[in-house]
Amino acid sequence: MYSGKLKDQLLDKLFEAMLSLKNIDECYRFFEDLCTVAELRSLAQRLEVAKMLEDNLTYGEIAQYTGASTATISRVKRALNYGADGYKLVLERLGSLNNQ
């Protein structure tokens, strides 16, 4: 059970709302209302950066492909190495879905 520094009731409710979504269309509808376009693109970019780091691409290759700054790439790399393993969990699950 997660007990990190972010844990609180409001985030629990947000994550429960996310878990209630049944498909990508519902995700688009919810997140379009919840976030700005820039926020969503930033989140998507970070996930792609994490995947590319796990695939051992260089900072230069990642920056060129995603447009992410080296600061963003470094922050994602730090999360991969010292974070709560959330990126790794999701990337493993996405990888297993893509291999089916």
Side-chain angles (χ1 to χ4, degrees):
M1 166 138 316
Y2 178 82
S3 61
K5 58 187 171 197
L6 291 177
K7 182 94 170 116
D8 72 23
Q9 284 184 315
L10 287 177
L11 283 174
D12 284 352
K13 289 178 184 176
L14 173 63
F15 298 146
E16 287 171 9
M18 290 177 182
L19 290 169
S20 76
L21 300 170
K22 293 182 176 27
N23 55 47
I24 289 176
D25 182 63
E26 289 184 3
C27 288
Y28 271 105
R29 292 169 56 198
F30 177 67
F31 283 98
E32 183 175 329
D33 288 348
L34 183 66
C35 301
T36 66
V37 171
E39 289 168 336
L40 285 171
R41 292 197 190 283
S42 178
L43 293 171
Q45 181 188 65
R46 289 181 201 163
L47 182 58
E48 185 63 18
V49 167
K51 180 185 178 306
M52 294 176 85
L53 285 167
E54 288 289 284
D55 290 342
N56 296 312
L57 274 74
T58 66
Y59 276 37
E61 292 168 323
I62 295 168
Q64 184 176 8
Y65 180 77
T66 66
S69 69
T70 55
T72 295
I73 298 167
S74 294
R75 182 178 36 215
V76 172
K77 182 154 183 94
R78 192 168 39 257
L80 281 167
N81 291 332
Y82 306 109
D85 290 334
Y87 280 124
K88 290 179 183 177
L89 175 70
V90 167
L91 291 172
E92 286 174 11
R93 289 187 181 165
L94 289 174
S96 67
L97 287 175
N98 292 331
N99 293 330
Q100 291 181 355

